[in-house]
Amino acid sequence: MIKALRGMKDTLPPQNDKYIYFIEKTTEIVKRYGFEFIETPLLEDTSLFKRSVGESSDIVGKEMYQFTDKGGNDVCLRPEGTAGVVRSFVEHKFDRAGGIYRFFYHGPMFRYERPQKGRLRQFHQFGIESFGVDSYLEDVTMIVMLKNILDVFEINYELKINSLGCQVCMPPFREKLVAFLDKTEGLCEDCLRRKETNPIRVFDCKNQNCQLLLKPAPRLNQNFCNECDESFTQILKMLDSLDISYEVDENLVRGLDYYNKTAFEFVSGDLGAQNAVAGGGRYDRLVEFLEGRETPAIGFAIGIERLLEMIEVPKSQRSGFYFGALCEEAIEITYKEADKKRVSNRVTMGYSVRNLKAHLKAADKANARFCAIIGEDELKNGVIWIKDLVEKNEVKEPIE
Ligand code: HAM
């Protein structure tokens, strides 16, 4: 038997009602904030991810579904959504037109990680990207919107936030950090690699020994430039005034290289070891890295599978009609009536002749509100028998 690949899952009914429920509710919310739908291809040029997510990241370094296609192109299944949206933004010259653009998307992402609870090789994200606004209030809005989404689904979460500095304060800080790391013995191999490629990622190391060794390391938030200091303080002040609780987590550096300034994650104690339900941040340089005009930008993505783990869908109410025929001669007219009703109702039909009990059972299974039946008597009298499966009453109505 051929089975789905490791780390890849079918989503089957009835559980995937949850998926649709989540997409519909979340779409409704993000549209209220002015976001519009965008869709980009699942397959992109590999260099896109190397230049954006970054060669030093685990995603690009270890986890890409990368291959050469029949035309000899080096391509890659997208490991995340931001890079493709920025590529599209530049390709379609939104950066040249100027102004503000707000996009949302959802769909599958691919990372060749070791599968475990909450970690798949094909998973789904609902993502948001906002271009053209550098006000700290956009950062606040991202967090408020994400909080509102998680609240609608009654998720327990904690918000972790940090700032990663900018092109003014980051380079001198990086030098200080590298000087510290050069003096520090006993770092793990990953940290030694990070020291060469993207030193601040050492703070993300899960190795206990590295965490101890890094305790006396210089910290970015003590080395901010005035602008970064001021905007981070303003964001925290606004969150305070909105009564949104958060923890400033100095170790939160995110696993993708394109971030600067604000970075945040929502984690939930109701998940296992993979507890990040959503994450995001600012990436003011990325449009430029991909050869566009400098454009401030910020976004986040929700891990849909992780979120669905934690939500209940309100049980769907009975709705619409089930149609069935009791004799061969009634099938054609039953079919036609079902088809007419479908213009404005949810309708299913049992195609074969069955007795009343079997049709009622099928109507129940189809979660229909009404069971509509035509048999020999009904044909003769030009009527249709209808039972309301909620109120339990029944009527005969003229077919026309
Ligand atoms: P990310 O933190 O890599 O960010 O992923 C966002 C969310 O996707 C995570 O918080 C997690 O819930 C989910 N996720 C990631 N990997 C897996 C996996 N292997 N299995 C299941 N769920 C997973 C990004 O991808 C950025 N593009 C977010 C962003 C948008 N930043 C700015 N704009």
Side-chain angles (χ1 to χ4, degrees):
M1 197 207 311
I2 300 171
K3 292 189 172 169
L5 296 175
R6 205 161 112 77
M8 305 206 172
K9 272 211 256 179
D10 301 312
T11 43
L12 305 171
Q15 283 80 358
N16 57 9
D17 278 354
K18 273 196 195 179
Y19 190 94
I20 293 175
Y21 174 68
F22 165 76
I23 297 287
E24 284 177 356
K25 281 269 166 212
T26 308
T27 299
E28 206 182 293
I29 297 170
V30 302
K31 282 190 167 174
R32 272 190 249 141
Y33 285 81
F35 285 82
E36 294 177 292
F37 186 59
I38 187 170
E39 195 163 61
T40 61
L42 302 195
L43 205 57
E44 298 269 7
D45 200 295
T46 300
S47 60
L48 171 65
F49 301 109
K50 287 193 173 165
R51 274 163 66 179
S52 54
V53 178
E55 305 231 29
S56 80
S57 67
D58 285 350
I59 296 178
V60 170
K62 304 180 188 167
E63 298 167 1
M64 296 234 278
Y65 274 90
Q66 183 183 353
F67 59 96
T68 307
D69 73 8
K70 289 198 167 78
N73 306 298
D74 184 3
V75 295
C76 184
L77 283 171
R78 64 180 185 191
E80 60 101 51
T82 310
V85 173
V86 176
R87 195 258 319 127
S88 170
F89 183 80
V90 175
E91 185 172 338
H92 299 290
K93 302 190 172 58
F94 289 102
D95 57 326
R96 291 181 181 271
I100 295 169
Y101 299 90
R102 294 190 173 98
F103 300 114
F104 72 93
Y105 53 88
H106 45 80
M109 309 292 159
F110 303 84
R111 296 182 193 175
Y112 196 82
E113 296 190 81
R114 200 166 47 78
Q116 63 177 80
K117 188 174 179 299
R119 195 202 270 155
L120 292 156
R121 288 182 173 166
Q122 177 178 333
F123 59 98
H124 295 74
Q125 285 185 345
F126 192 108
I128 284 290
E129 314 295 349
S130 156
F131 296 93
V133 191
D134 62 5
S135 163
Y136 75 96
L137 286 177
E138 190 71 351
D139 305 40
V140 173
T141 304
M142 291 291 132
I143 290 168
V144 171
M145 182 168 65
L146 184 46
K147 176 195 170 308
N148 286 345
I149 294 169
L150 299 182
D151 283 345
V152 162
F153 299 110
E154 298 176 8
I155 305 280
N156 291 318
Y157 56 77
E158 280 163 44
L159 164 62
K160 292 182 186 258
I161 186 166
N162 195 15
S163 171
L164 305 177
C166 66
Q167 74 225 63
V168 175
C169 47
M170 184 52 113
F173 171 73
R174 192 188 289 238
E175 270 180 36
K176 265 195 200 177
L177 180 61
V178 171
F180 170 85
L181 297 174
D182 279 339
K183 289 193 310 221
T184 309
E185 281 180 21
L187 289 167
C188 74
E189 264 183 35
D190 276 343
C191 281
L192 292 176
R193 189 172 48 85
R194 288 171 185 140
K195 187 180 81 176
E196 304 304 325
T197 51
N198 187 1
I200 67 154
R201 295 254 3 255
V202 295
F203 294 117
D204 201 22
C205 186
K206 303 288 178 279
N207 184 314
Q208 297 266 317
N209 186 45
C210 292
Q211 284 302 335
L212 272 178
L213 292 169
L214 290 170
K215 277 230 157 98
R219 290 289 165 166
L220 184 58
N221 57 8
Q222 279 143 21
N223 290 274
F224 283 154
C225 61
N226 284 344
E227 200 199 309
C228 283
D229 201 28
E230 202 172 296
S231 72
F232 195 47
T233 307
Q234 279 175 313
I235 290 169
L236 299 184
K237 232 172 108 194
M238 195 64 185
L239 292 177
D240 287 335
S241 113
L242 290 165
D243 273 336
I244 296 179
S245 32
Y246 56 83
E247 181 200 328
V248 175
D249 180 352
E250 290 181 356
N251 287 339
L252 180 74
V253 290
R254 308 274 301 131
L256 306 96
D257 289 354
Y258 48 64
Y259 291 114
N260 66 328
K261 291 192 173 170
T262 319
F264 53 91
E265 261 178 26
F266 281 75
V267 298
S268 176
D270 295 340
L271 292 169
Q274 304 301 316
N275 64 354
V277 61
R282 242 187 205 282
Y283 52 93
D284 296 326
R285 308 291 311 283
L286 185 54
V287 175
E288 222 181 325
F289 288 161
L290 296 178
E291 285 157 50
R293 278 197 189 152
E294 191 177 337
T295 308
I298 181 166
F300 66 76
I302 301 171
I304 299 182
E305 282 81 2
R306 291 189 193 169
L307 186 128
L308 296 192
E309 271 281 290
M310 297 183 282
I311 71 171
E312 291 291 331
V313 183
K315 207 175 154 11
S316 68
Q317 304 277 321
R318 288 189 175 282
S319 70
F321 287 78
Y322 169 91
F323 279 76
L326 299 178
C327 59
E328 218 35 75
E329 304 76 60
I331 284 195
E332 195 178 312
I333 185 154
T334 307
Y335 186 94
K336 286 183 180 162
E337 289 310 307
D339 202 40
K340 273 195 235 160
K341 208 72 192 157
R342 203 172 263 136
V343 173
S344 55
N345 289 277
R346 172 178 171 266
V347 172
T348 53
M349 179 182 165
Y351 292 143
S352 44
V353 170
R354 289 177 182 169
N355 64 29
L356 184 59
K357 202 170 149 207
H359 278 311
L360 283 166
K361 214 167 144 190
D364 182 52
K365 212 167 161 215
N367 215 16
R369 166 87 194 250
F370 298 102
C371 178
I373 301 291
I374 303 179
E376 266 173 41
D377 282 355
E378 286 76 18
L379 266 185
K380 218 184 307 156
N381 300 317
V383 295
I384 186 162
W385 178 88
I386 303 165
K387 178 162 181 172
D388 182 333
L389 300 177
V390 173
E391 300 292 333
K392 307 285 182 210
N393 51 24
E394 32 184 284
V395 288
K396 280 193 176 175
E397 295 279 354
I399 285 182
E400 69 268 19

